[in-house]
Amino acid sequence: MSTVIEPSTPQPVQTSTRLSPWTAIRTVFSLEMKQRLRGRAWYWMLGIWFVVIGFIFVLGTGILGATGNEGGILFDLVVGFVLFFGLLVAPGLSANAVNGDRAGGTLAILQVTLVSPGQLLTGKWLASWVGSLAFLVLSSPFIFWAFALGGVEVSEALVSLLMLAVELGILCAIGVGISALADRPLFSIVSTYMVVALLTIGTLIVFGLSSALVTEEETTTSSYYNFPESAYRDDGTIDETVEPECITQTYVAPVAHTEYVAWLLAANPFVVVADAVPYNLPDESSFNARAGTYGYEGDYYSPGVMESASQLVRAAQAGPDLDVTCEEVEAAYAPLPQQTPIWPLGLGIQVALAAVLLLIGRRRLTMPAKRLAKGTRIA
């Protein structure tokens, strides 16, 4: 009697169809960083950057050695220069992160793995951000040198560096998002630089043109101190024992109400960084001397580059003063205190722009693709 053996049914092998988000992002990040570190151009850029910022710092030290706020001005100079250079470097590091791999035929390999489009974009964004932060780290010796000279509070330094890092991250996110949308690396790089130019120079142009739209004829009262005629001697000299008197004039002139359009400056990266820093302003009581014939006799305040930008934005927010008293003239050289900060609005606009670009770019990377542009390389 023979026994029939039934063939066993093969059991399906349990395989994971999903990677943990951190593992996938770390894998893409590692691949991007290895690719960047293997290139010599990366190190050449860092070396040139270190030499340039060192030259600017030494030159500024020689020029500002006689000023009373040398440390604060030099610190502001380094922060402004790092931000300016970051606006040039960040698009170059991120604007071809996705379509560069598409042109090289390596993007499709990542798309058919367990890495999701969102994880792919996040890993490339983090790699671009870390690459741009290397320039900030390389500038740290000069930043700490300026900090050691005095005139800068710890809170000012920490907030400045934090906002610099955040701005570089947002710029890299914008570049990666445009890179996922554009089909050609050259087009994405040019488009990213155009967005950066729109945020920096474009906001200034729009603000200037909009100021003309809010200009109205207003009755303005202006007061100032001057010596009376009795103070002048026969030889033309002034009797310093005579007190200057307050002279008030009223006239009608076109006045720009910048308080209505100051929000247009919010998205400017320099405004975001400058307005977020809690500057240590001097006591207003030191700005109480009169600006007479011999010039201003009170204390002078020498702000840095970034603090000057913050003061200009605050003046735009305050709007025109239609009734200038002699007491206000006495404090004309005093810095303006911060009333309503404008940097949260600007940071929100930038984050929203970067998020929209990344979300649309994520849809473009979803597989299988329903439609591809003509001439797009797949693998």
Side-chain angles (χ1 to χ4, degrees):
M1 181 177 180
S2 62
T3 304
V4 179
I5 302 176
E6 297 290 337
S8 60
T9 304
Q11 299 295 325
V13 179
Q14 298 294 330
T15 59
S16 176
T17 59
R18 180 179 301 178
L19 288 176
S20 65
W22 171 244
T23 302
I25 294 173
R26 183 181 59 185
T27 301
V28 178
F29 174 81
S30 301
L31 292 175
E32 287 289 312
M33 291 304 300
K34 290 178 181 179
Q35 184 177 0
R36 296 178 189 276
L37 296 177
R38 282 198 298 262
R40 294 183 178 180
W42 170 251
Y43 299 100
W44 275 104
M45 290 176 61
L46 291 176
I48 294 174
W49 162 244
F50 185 81
V51 173
V52 170
I53 194 173
F55 175 77
I56 296 295
F57 188 86
V58 173
L59 183 63
T61 304
I63 296 176
L64 302 172
T67 61
N69 191 24
E70 179 187 3
I73 296 177
L74 284 175
F75 184 85
D76 252 15
L77 180 64
V78 174
V79 170
F81 196 75
V82 171
L83 179 58
F84 172 76
F85 199 81
L87 295 175
L88 302 177
V89 172
L93 295 176
S94 59
N96 64 342
V98 177
N99 52 21
D101 289 350
R102 182 183 289 119
T106 58
L107 179 63
I109 299 176
L110 291 174
Q111 288 180 293
V112 298
T113 62
L114 299 179
V115 178
S116 67
Q119 296 164 353
L120 177 63
L121 288 177
T122 304
K124 288 182 175 294
W125 165 62
L126 289 176
S128 302
W129 190 11
V130 171
S132 63
L133 287 178
F135 292 89
L136 179 59
V137 173
L138 204 61
S139 308
S140 58
F142 305 102
I143 293 176
F144 291 124
W145 187 356
F147 180 77
L149 293 176
V152 182
E153 298 291 336
V154 177
S155 58
E156 297 180 31
L158 292 179
V159 173
S160 297
L161 297 179
L162 176 62
M163 294 305 297
L164 275 179
V166 171
E167 281 297 315
L168 293 177
I170 293 175
L171 292 174
C172 288
I174 292 175
V176 172
I178 295 178
S179 178
L181 289 173
D183 297 322
R184 300 290 184 269
L186 180 60
F187 180 78
S188 62
I189 293 175
V190 173
S191 300
T192 305
Y193 276 115
M194 290 181 63
V195 172
V196 172
L198 178 63
L199 293 176
T200 53
I201 303 176
T203 51
L204 298 177
I205 296 176
V206 174
F207 171 76
L209 296 177
S210 300
S211 298
L213 300 177
V214 294
T215 300
E216 301 176 355
E217 295 285 340
E218 297 284 357
T219 301
T220 304
T221 301
S222 177
S223 303
Y224 60 94
Y225 281 104
N226 198 0
F227 288 97
E229 294 183 2
S230 59
Y232 290 89
R233 301 187 181 95
D234 295 337
D235 57 358
T237 60
I238 297 177
D239 185 2
E240 297 180 1
T241 60
V242 179
E243 289 290 331
E245 61 182 8
C246 181
I247 300 176
T248 302
Q249 294 179 342
T250 301
Y251 53 90
V252 178
V255 175
H257 290 273
T258 56
E259 67 272 19
Y260 299 138
V261 294
W263 61 272
L264 294 173
L265 298 171
N268 192 301
F270 290 93
V271 173
V272 171
V273 176
D275 193 62
V277 178
Y279 293 106
N280 184 23
L281 301 179
D283 188 6
E284 294 183 3
S285 61
S286 61
F287 299 90
N288 57 1
R290 296 175 179 176
T293 303
Y294 294 105
Y296 185 70
E297 300 174 356
D299 294 337
Y300 285 92
Y301 182 63
S302 301
V305 177
M306 300 299 290
E307 189 172 356
S308 297
S310 176
Q311 287 291 311
L312 292 175
V313 173
R314 293 176 187 181
Q317 286 182 283
D321 189 356
L322 302 180
D323 188 8
V324 180
T325 63
C326 288
E327 289 74 15
E328 292 175 342
V329 172
E330 291 180 354
Y333 290 82
L336 295 175
Q338 189 180 52
Q339 299 296 334
T340 303
I342 199 174
W343 68 267
L345 173 62
L347 194 64
I349 294 175
Q350 294 178 0
V351 171
L353 175 62
V356 169
L357 292 174
L358 289 174
L359 288 176
I360 299 176
R362 180 182 178 275
R363 294 184 60 184
R364 290 290 302 272
L365 295 179
T366 303
M367 295 296 290
K370 296 181 179 179
R371 185 178 63 180
L372 294 175
K374 184 179 180 180
T376 300
R377 180 172 180 174
I378 301 177

